[in-house]
Amino acid sequence: MWPVLQKDRGADEIHLYCLESPGEMPALPEEIEEAKEDSVSFHNGWGPKRILTEDGKVTGVEFKRCTSVFDADHRFAPKYDENDTIIVKADSVLLSVGQSIEWGGLLSGSRVELGRGGNAYADSLTLQTAEPDVFVGGDCFTGPKFAIHAIASGKEGAISIHRYVQPGQSLVFGRDRREYHAFDKNNIAIGIQDFDMTPRQRPGHSPEKKGTFQDERMTFTEEQLKKETERCLGCGTVEIDSYKCIGCGLCTTKCKFDAISLERTYDTVPNTYEKLPVKIATNAIVRTGKIAATTLKESVVTRS
Ligand SMILES: Cc1cc2nc3c(=O)[nH]c(=O)nc-3n(C[C@H](O)[C@H](O)[C@H](O)COP(=O)(O)OP(=O)(O)OC[C@H]3O[C@@H](n4cnc5c(N)ncnc54)[C@H](O)[C@@H]3O)c2cc1C
């Protein structure tokens, strides 16, 4: 149960009690910050024991100390100290609860296996369940996540179903597992100035929406927008090795997206042989001598 919101009697403050410690709270830092700006006080490490009532109306909540929220495998398994309790007066209480799947009779008689919160077990690549012709995706497979994950798994599930109904097809052949590994930004062997170290821009807040349930965030200003777009990693950029590129422009004709263009950065005319600096001429003489010596040596070896 997370969080318990509660408004004190006679006070304008809103108190939020939750099981998690500040670092464990399932909320974005800006969400917590915005709530604090709206005079929400946070009380971490408390779980609801009972709601107190009088004449059919809520008068408060008794909380018990939550000693830990997750087990060793980071699964939600809250533990409490039942003797460490507090009673907080309140005239209204808002409960925010988790989400689980209600399958009803949909899976009756099937071999589909269910886990925590009623999520269906399935192969992570094919989304096939223990019942071969049942495929799952979205929240009923992953638990509460994001729309984009549900859409992606819907597409993968559709591919699996298509293959399943086509005789002789493999569910796994040529499938992309999409296993991405994030860079360790702190140990990356590129110049720190090249990497995305600039913090995200934060939107401003509209004061007139304060204290309402409307989104206070405003759009970026032009300056913020420019800064945000400059955070691009430039992963697609190619630097021309000016010692190798002869400026023929052939590369510009090969890119079908017209992404390559040449820009003249300076004008130069190469020196003629006669005008080469003396040092280069000396090197050329030494090199010519070495080639002549090697050629002579090889011809002597060949004759003998
Ligand atoms: C309050 C809230 C806010 C969220 N905010 C965001 C957000 O800002 N951004 C984001 O990306 N994600 C957000 N999410 C998560 C996102 O909504 C889900 O991850 C996504 O909708 C999951 O898609 P789904 O298709 O798996 O399930 P759902 O969208 O839940 O679709 C399941 C459908 O199945 C139907 N159904 C259920 N049982 C049966 C049955 N027995 N027979 C027939 N039909 C049935 C339901 O009516 C529903 O239409 C939010 C979720 C919640 C609850």
Side-chain angles (χ1 to χ4, degrees):
M1 190 178 286
W2 186 98
V4 174
L5 280 168
Q6 164 197 46
K7 195 172 172 177
D8 260 1
R9 261 188 194 167
D12 271 346
E13 291 168 16
I14 296 173
H15 296 270
L16 183 150
Y17 289 81
C18 66
L19 303 174
E20 294 86 352
S21 64
E24 292 170 329
M25 286 168 68
L28 294 172
E30 55 262 37
E31 289 172 335
I32 296 172
E33 212 173 285
E34 283 167 13
K36 282 181 180 168
E37 280 172 13
D38 276 344
S39 311
V40 176
S41 310
F42 286 76
H43 306 269
N44 298 87
W46 293 104
K49 188 167 182 175
R50 63 190 170 116
I51 291 182
L52 310 171
T53 55
E54 221 175 84
D55 300 330
K57 286 188 178 169
V58 66
T59 56
V61 186
E62 183 175 7
F63 291 101
K64 52 187 174 182
R65 173 60 76 190
C66 177
T67 50
S68 70
V69 183
F70 303 103
D71 66 12
D73 298 321
H74 206 70
R75 280 185 305 228
F76 184 73
K79 290 203 177 80
Y80 301 97
D81 178 354
E82 299 284 343
N83 298 318
D84 187 358
T85 59
I86 48 166
I87 287 180
V88 185
K89 288 180 183 170
D91 53 15
S92 50
V93 177
L94 277 169
L95 305 183
S96 178
V97 296
Q99 180 185 326
S100 66
I101 318 292
E102 179 57 67
W103 292 95
L106 199 65
L107 300 173
S108 306
S110 84
R111 281 172 283 175
V112 177
E113 292 163 10
L114 302 181
R116 271 199 77 241
N119 297 356
Y121 282 121
D123 182 272
S124 60
L125 179 64
T126 64
L127 303 173
Q128 188 179 36
T129 63
E131 187 68 59
D133 62 354
V134 176
F135 297 81
V136 290
D139 283 7
C140 71
F141 170 52
T142 57
K145 233 177 172 181
F146 293 104
I148 192 69
H149 294 115
I151 294 164
S153 65
K155 285 187 173 177
E156 289 302 322
I159 293 170
S160 289
I161 293 166
H162 180 74
R163 290 181 178 209
Y164 185 77
V165 297
Q166 303 295 324
Q169 289 271 337
S170 156
L171 285 184
V172 293
F173 190 75
R175 298 290 283 271
D176 184 352
R177 287 194 174 271
R178 298 181 202 277
E179 284 173 352
Y180 303 113
H181 302 281
F183 280 128
D184 178 359
K185 290 187 186 176
N186 298 320
N187 289 303
I188 199 160
I190 58 170
I192 205 116
Q193 72 282 1
D194 299 331
F195 202 66
D196 177 16
M197 292 298 179
T198 322
R200 275 186 179 183
Q201 290 297 307
R202 302 276 303 274
H205 287 79
S206 164
E208 62 264 24
K209 290 192 179 156
K210 205 164 182 53
T212 70
F213 274 103
Q214 288 182 38
D215 194 347
E216 290 175 30
R217 287 167 300 175
M218 301 195 297
T219 49
F220 284 158
T221 62
E222 187 178 341
E223 194 191 347
Q224 281 185 304
L225 200 66
K226 283 180 180 163
K227 280 192 183 153
E228 189 67 5
T229 49
E230 278 167 9
R231 295 173 66 237
C232 170
L233 286 179
C235 46
T237 57
V238 177
E239 282 191 23
I240 304 293
D241 185 340
S242 56
Y243 289 97
K244 289 184 184 157
C245 175
I246 57 169
C248 71
L250 189 64
C251 55
T252 64
T253 67
K254 295 292 174 199
C255 178
K256 62 179 175 182
F257 305 109
D258 200 22
I260 306 173
S261 61
L262 291 188
E263 193 181 316
R264 187 187 291 272
T265 50
Y266 56 86
D267 273 324
T268 183
V269 178
N271 279 320
T272 61
Y273 179 78
E274 290 80 15
K275 286 181 183 170
L276 276 178
V278 176
K279 196 163 188 314
I280 294 175
T282 317
N283 287 346
I285 292 163
V286 171
R287 191 161 165 265
T288 312
K290 276 186 181 170
I291 292 168
T294 312
T295 313
L296 182 66
K297 195 175 158 191
E298 280 173 1
S299 67
V300 171
V301 171
T302 313
R303 264 189 260 142
S304 61

